Amino acid sequence: MKRNWEGLVLRAMGGRDFRLTVLNTESVAGRYQRLLLDDGGLLAACGVHPTMWIRLWFDANGRAHQRAYTLVDPDPATGRFTLEFAIHDGCAARWATTAEVGDTIDATVQGSAFHLPDPAPEHLYLVGDAASLPAVNSLLDAGADIPATVWLEFAHEDEKALTPRARAHHDVTWVPRRDDGQHLVDTVCAALPSGETAHYWVACEAASTRRITRHVRRTLGIGKHQLTSLGYWRGA
């Protein structure tokens, strides 16, 4: 598949291309498709970090279309990881639900970079949803000994089949999506404390992410070095 201008720009910016191979497929509650993939040398070449994501290239009516996905359980020793695809109308979901063992797809690594602060924060405040749950889980794994408070927005009960990797010192609250995300914003902003030794990580729908980020920065007075935020998707 011929790359579009996005692919050329990513390559010019140092993007590295790999070809992934499907090793196994699994339906999760009928709303997600989980694919185990051989990485084509990606993990050995690029390393692994929490919240690591890649860009996959799909055929959209003859045109190249890229979407970003967070790695689940990347294992450099075996060169494998899993990806989870939400099932809805679109070329990415169509590819994932019809993919068979042995199928391949191109991926680009460019733009993903995150590490927990050093020294480690004394508390993590994480805001996400089903789309960013793989990233949330990678943070809970990386900071396994750090107390964490987590809010996860859900639009359907089936989304809870994607299980948070919470330990005894991790407090997880599922928040139903209402009022175009304002319910999540109100819930989180009412509960978030200000902490000089905490780290705040916000990754949900783009408008909700902006509102919560504004509250953290302006109302709580948290500095940039204590905050990571990224809109994972855009509401209609």
Side-chain angles (χ1 to χ4, degrees):
M1 179 173 55
K2 186 176 180 180
R3 295 289 179 84
N4 59 6
W5 63 270
E6 290 178 292
L8 299 176
V9 170
L10 290 173
R11 179 167 291 180
M13 294 175 64
R16 306 176 72 174
D17 295 330
F18 301 88
R19 178 154 293 178
L20 314 180
T21 303
V22 178
L23 300 176
N24 189 47
T25 69
E26 175 190 1
S27 176
V28 182
R31 289 193 178 274
Y32 285 82
Q33 193 75 11
R34 182 177 289 148
L35 269 60
L36 176 66
L37 297 157
D38 177 89
D39 72 350
L42 185 155
L43 299 177
C46 302
V48 177
H49 59 265
T51 75
M52 184 174 180
W53 54 272
I54 61 176
R55 305 170 191 267
L56 297 185
W57 293 91
F58 303 95
D59 183 353
N61 298 320
R63 295 185 178 183
H65 175 74
Q66 61 98 1
R67 290 281 305 278
Y69 290 88
T70 304
L71 305 190
V72 178
D73 294 331
D75 184 358
T78 61
R80 295 180 175 186
F81 55 80
T82 298
L83 297 179
E84 295 172 343
F85 297 79
I87 304 306
H88 52 73
D89 185 37
C91 57
R94 286 194 294 272
W95 178 83
T97 53
T98 59
E100 298 180 349
V101 174
D103 287 354
T104 61
I105 190 168
D106 291 339
T108 299
V109 180
Q110 200 284 326
S112 179
F114 178 84
H115 297 280
L116 285 172
D118 186 14
E122 295 184 3
H123 201 103
L124 293 173
Y125 294 101
L126 312 176
V127 185
D129 54 24
S132 59
L133 181 55
V136 170
N137 280 338
S138 74
L139 290 171
L140 295 177
D141 286 343
D145 297 328
I146 304 173
T149 304
V150 185
W151 293 270
L152 295 171
E153 186 180 48
F154 69 97
H156 305 279
E157 287 289 336
D158 292 344
E159 293 176 2
K160 295 181 182 179
L162 302 172
T163 310
R165 292 182 181 171
R167 297 158 176 85
H169 51 285
H170 296 156
D171 180 26
V172 178
T173 300
W174 286 94
V175 182
R177 181 167 177 79
R178 300 173 185 159
D179 303 322
D180 293 331
Q182 188 60 43
H183 180 55
L184 175 69
V185 175
D186 292 341
T187 300
V188 170
C189 291
L192 268 180
S194 178
E196 295 181 358
T197 58
H199 192 82
Y200 301 76
W201 187 90
V202 185
C204 47
E205 191 277 329
S208 299
T209 297
R210 288 194 298 271
R211 295 172 193 146
I212 295 171
T213 298
R214 188 182 308 117
H215 174 81
V216 172
R217 291 294 312 279
R218 296 181 183 178
T219 305
L220 300 183
I222 299 302
K224 288 183 178 180
H225 65 287
Q226 288 182 255
L227 171 65
T228 304
S229 65
L230 177 66
Y232 256 57
W233 57 282
R234 295 184 182 278

Coordinates of all heavy atoms in Angstrom, one line a residue, residues 149-189:
T149 N -4.8 6.5 42.2 CA -6.3 6.7 42.2 C -6.6 6.8 40.7 O -6.0 7.6 40.0 CB -6.7 8.0 42.9 OG1 -6.2 7.9 44.3 CG2 -8.2 8.1 42.9
V150 N -7.6 6.0 40.3 CA -7.9 5.9 38.8 C -9.4 6.1 38.6 O -10.2 5.5 39.3 CB -7.5 4.5 38.3 CG1 -7.7 4.4 36.8 CG2 -6.0 4.1 38.7
W151 N -9.7 6.9 37.6 CA -11.0 7.1 37.1 C -11.1 6.6 35.7 O -10.3 7.0 34.8 CB -11.5 8.5 37.1 CG -11.6 9.1 38.5 CD1 -12.7 9.1 39.3 CD2 -10.6 9.8 39.3 NE1 -12.5 9.7 40.5 CE2 -11.2 10.1 40.5 CE3 -9.3 10.1 39.0 CZ2 -10.5 10.8 41.5 CZ3 -8.5 10.7 40.0 CH2 -9.1 11.1 41.2
L152 N -12.0 5.7 35.3 CA -12.2 5.2 34.0 C -13.6 5.4 33.5 O -14.6 5.0 34.1 CB -11.9 3.7 34.0 CG -10.4 3.3 34.3 CD1 -10.3 1.8 34.4 CD2 -9.5 3.8 33.2
E153 N -13.7 6.2 32.4 CA -15.1 6.4 31.9 C -15.5 5.2 31.0 O -14.7 4.6 30.3 CB -15.0 7.7 31.0 CG -16.4 8.1 30.5 CD -16.3 9.4 29.7 OE1 -15.4 9.4 28.8 OE2 -17.1 10.3 29.9
F154 N -16.8 4.9 31.0 CA -17.3 3.8 30.2 C -18.6 4.2 29.6 O -19.4 4.9 30.2 CB -17.4 2.5 31.0 CG -18.6 2.5 32.0 CD1 -19.8 2.0 31.7 CD2 -18.4 3.1 33.2 CE1 -20.8 2.0 32.6 CE2 -19.4 3.1 34.2 CZ -20.6 2.5 33.9
A155 N -18.8 3.8 28.3 CA -20.1 4.1 27.6 C -21.0 2.9 27.6 O -22.2 3.0 27.5 CB -19.8 4.6 26.2
H156 N -20.4 1.7 27.7 CA -21.2 0.5 27.8 C -20.6 -0.4 28.9 O -19.4 -0.5 29.1 CB -21.1 -0.3 26.4 CG -21.4 0.6 25.2 ND1 -22.8 0.8 24.9 CD2 -20.7 1.3 24.3 CE1 -22.8 1.6 23.8 NE2 -21.6 1.9 23.5
E157 N -21.5 -1.2 29.5 CA -21.1 -2.1 30.6 C -20.1 -3.1 30.1 O -19.2 -3.5 30.9 CB -22.3 -2.8 31.2 CG -23.2 -1.9 32.0 CD -22.6 -1.5 33.4 OE1 -21.7 -2.3 33.9 OE2 -23.0 -0.5 33.9
D158 N -20.2 -3.5 28.9 CA -19.2 -4.5 28.3 C -17.8 -4.0 28.4 O -16.9 -4.8 28.3 CB -19.6 -4.9 26.9 CG -20.9 -5.6 26.8 OD1 -21.4 -6.1 27.9 OD2 -21.5 -5.7 25.8
E159 N -17.6 -2.7 28.4 CA -16.2 -2.2 28.4 C -15.5 -2.6 29.7 O -14.2 -2.6 29.7 CB -16.2 -0.7 28.2 CG -16.7 -0.2 26.9 CD -16.8 1.3 26.8 OE1 -16.5 2.0 27.7 OE2 -17.3 1.7 25.7
K160 N -16.2 -2.9 30.7 CA -15.5 -3.4 31.9 C -14.9 -4.7 31.8 O -14.2 -5.2 32.7 CB -16.5 -3.3 33.1 CG -17.1 -2.0 33.4 CD -18.0 -2.0 34.6 CE -18.6 -0.7 34.9 NZ -19.6 -0.7 36.0
A161 N -15.1 -5.4 30.7 CA -14.4 -6.7 30.4 C -12.9 -6.4 30.2 O -12.1 -7.4 30.3 CB -15.0 -7.4 29.2
L162 N -12.6 -5.2 29.9 CA -11.1 -4.8 29.8 C -10.7 -4.5 31.2 O -10.8 -3.3 31.6 CB -11.0 -3.7 28.8 CG -11.5 -3.9 27.4 CD1 -11.5 -2.6 26.6 CD2 -10.7 -5.0 26.7
T163 N -10.1 -5.4 31.9 CA -9.8 -5.3 33.3 C -8.7 -4.4 33.7 O -7.6 -4.6 33.2 CB -9.6 -6.7 33.9 OG1 -10.7 -7.6 33.5 CG2 -9.6 -6.6 35.4
P164 N -8.9 -3.4 34.6 CA -7.7 -2.7 35.2 C -6.8 -3.6 36.0 O -7.3 -4.5 36.7 CB -8.4 -1.6 36.0 CG -9.8 -1.6 35.6 CD -10.1 -3.0 35.1
R165 N -5.5 -3.4 35.9 CA -4.6 -4.2 36.7 C -4.4 -3.5 38.1 O -3.3 -3.1 38.4 CB -3.3 -4.4 35.9 CG -3.5 -5.2 34.7 CD -2.2 -5.4 34.0 NE -2.5 -6.2 32.8 CZ -1.6 -6.4 31.8 NH1 -0.4 -5.9 31.9 NH2 -1.9 -7.2 30.8
A166 N -5.4 -3.5 38.8 CA -5.3 -2.8 40.1 C -4.8 -3.7 41.2 O -5.2 -4.9 41.3 CB -6.7 -2.2 40.5
R167 N -4.0 -3.2 42.1 CA -3.5 -3.9 43.2 C -4.2 -3.3 44.5 O -5.0 -2.4 44.4 CB -2.0 -3.7 43.3 CG -1.3 -4.4 42.1 CD 0.1 -3.8 41.9 NE 0.8 -4.5 40.8 CZ 0.7 -4.2 39.5 NH1 -0.1 -3.3 39.1 NH2 1.4 -4.9 38.6
A168 N -3.8 -3.8 45.6 CA -4.6 -3.4 46.9 C -4.5 -1.9 47.1 O -5.4 -1.3 47.7 CB -4.0 -4.2 48.0
H169 N -3.4 -1.3 46.7 CA -3.2 0.2 47.0 C -3.6 1.0 45.8 O -3.2 2.1 45.6 CB -1.7 0.4 47.4 CG -0.7 -0.1 46.4 ND1 -0.4 -1.5 46.4 CD2 0.1 0.4 45.5 CE1 0.5 -1.7 45.4 NE2 0.8 -0.6 44.9
H170 N -4.4 0.4 44.9 CA -4.9 1.2 43.7 C -6.4 1.3 43.8 O -7.1 0.3 43.9 CB -4.6 0.4 42.4 CG -3.1 0.4 42.1 ND1 -2.5 -0.6 41.3 CD2 -2.1 1.1 42.6 CE1 -1.2 -0.4 41.2 NE2 -0.9 0.6 42.0
D171 N -6.9 2.5 43.8 CA -8.4 2.7 43.9 C -8.9 3.1 42.5 O -8.6 4.1 41.9 CB -8.6 3.9 44.9 CG -10.1 4.2 45.1 OD1 -10.9 3.3 44.8 OD2 -10.4 5.3 45.4
V172 N -9.8 2.2 42.0 CA -10.3 2.4 40.6 C -11.8 2.7 40.7 O -12.6 2.0 41.4 CB -10.1 1.1 39.8 CG1 -10.7 1.3 38.4 CG2 -8.6 0.8 39.7
T173 N -12.3 3.7 40.0 CA -13.7 4.1 39.9 C -14.1 4.2 38.5 O -13.5 4.9 37.7 CB -13.9 5.5 40.6 OG1 -13.5 5.5 41.9 CG2 -15.4 5.9 40.5
W174 N -15.1 3.4 38.1 CA -15.7 3.4 36.8 C -16.8 4.5 36.8 O -17.6 4.6 37.6 CB -16.3 2.1 36.4 CG -15.3 1.0 36.1 CD1 -14.8 0.1 36.9 CD2 -14.7 0.8 34.8 NE1 -13.9 -0.7 36.3 CE2 -13.9 -0.3 34.9 CE3 -14.8 1.4 33.5 CZ2 -13.1 -0.9 33.9 CZ3 -14.1 0.9 32.5 CH2 -13.2 -0.2 32.7
V175 N -16.7 5.4 35.8 CA -17.6 6.6 35.7 C -18.4 6.4 34.4 O -17.8 6.4 33.3 CB -16.9 7.9 35.7 CG1 -17.8 9.1 35.7 CG2 -16.0 8.0 37.0
P176 N -19.7 6.4 34.4 CA -20.5 6.3 33.2 C -20.4 7.6 32.4 O -20.4 8.7 32.9 CB -22.0 6.1 33.7 CG -22.0 6.6 35.1 CD -20.6 6.4 35.6
R177 N -20.3 7.4 31.1 CA -20.3 8.6 30.2 C -21.6 9.2 30.1 O -22.6 8.6 29.6 CB -19.7 8.2 28.8 CG -19.6 9.4 27.9 CD -18.8 9.1 26.6 NE -18.7 10.2 25.7 CZ -17.9 11.2 25.8 NH1 -17.1 11.3 26.9 NH2 -17.9 12.2 25.0
R178 N -21.7 10.5 30.5 CA -23.0 11.2 30.4 C -22.7 12.6 30.0 O -21.6 13.1 30.2 CB -23.7 11.3 31.8 CG -24.1 9.9 32.3 CD -24.6 10.1 33.7 NE -24.9 8.8 34.4 CZ -25.0 8.6 35.7 NH1 -24.8 9.7 36.5 NH2 -25.2 7.4 36.2
D179 N -23.6 13.3 29.3 CA -23.5 14.7 29.0 C -22.2 15.0 28.2 O -21.5 15.9 28.5 CB -23.6 15.6 30.3 CG -24.8 15.3 31.1 OD1 -25.9 15.2 30.5 OD2 -24.7 15.3 32.3
D180 N -21.9 14.1 27.2 CA -20.8 14.3 26.4 C -19.5 14.4 27.2 O -18.6 15.1 26.9 CB -20.9 15.5 25.5 CG -22.0 15.4 24.5 OD1 -22.3 14.2 24.1 OD2 -22.6 16.4 24.1
G181 N -19.4 13.6 28.3 CA -18.2 13.6 29.1 C -18.1 14.5 30.3 O -17.2 14.4 31.1
Q182 N -19.1 15.4 30.4 CA -19.1 16.4 31.5 C -19.2 15.7 32.8 O -18.6 16.2 33.8 CB -20.2 17.4 31.3 CG -20.1 18.6 32.3 CD -18.8 19.4 32.2 OE1 -18.3 19.7 31.1 NE2 -18.2 19.7 33.3
H183 N -19.9 14.6 32.9 CA -20.0 13.9 34.2 C -18.6 13.4 34.6 O -18.3 13.5 35.8 CB -21.0 12.7 34.0 CG -21.2 11.9 35.2 ND1 -21.6 12.4 36.4 CD2 -21.0 10.5 35.5 CE1 -21.7 11.5 37.4 NE2 -21.3 10.3 36.8
L184 N -17.8 12.9 33.7 CA -16.5 12.5 34.1 C -15.7 13.7 34.6 O -15.0 13.6 35.6 CB -15.7 11.8 32.9 CG -14.3 11.5 33.2 CD1 -14.1 10.4 34.2 CD2 -13.6 11.2 31.8
V185 N -15.8 14.8 33.9 CA -15.0 16.0 34.2 C -15.4 16.4 35.6 O -14.6 16.7 36.5 CB -15.3 17.1 33.2 CG1 -14.6 18.4 33.7 CG2 -14.7 16.7 31.8
D186 N -16.7 16.5 35.9 CA -17.2 17.0 37.2 C -16.8 16.0 38.3 O -16.3 16.4 39.4 CB -18.7 17.1 37.2 CG -19.2 18.2 36.3 OD1 -18.4 19.1 35.9 OD2 -20.4 18.1 35.9
T187 N -16.9 14.7 38.1 CA -16.5 13.7 39.1 C -15.0 13.8 39.4 O -14.6 13.8 40.6 CB -16.8 12.3 38.5 OG1 -18.2 12.2 38.3 CG2 -16.4 11.2 39.6
V188 N -14.2 13.9 38.4 CA -12.7 13.9 38.6 C -12.3 15.2 39.3 O -11.6 15.3 40.3 CB -12.0 13.7 37.3 CG1 -10.5 14.0 37.5 CG2 -12.2 12.3 36.8
C189 N -12.8 16.4 38.8 CA -12.4 17.7 39.3 C -12.8 17.9 40.8 O -12.2 18.5 41.5 CB -12.9 18.8 38.4 SG -12.2 18.8 36.8

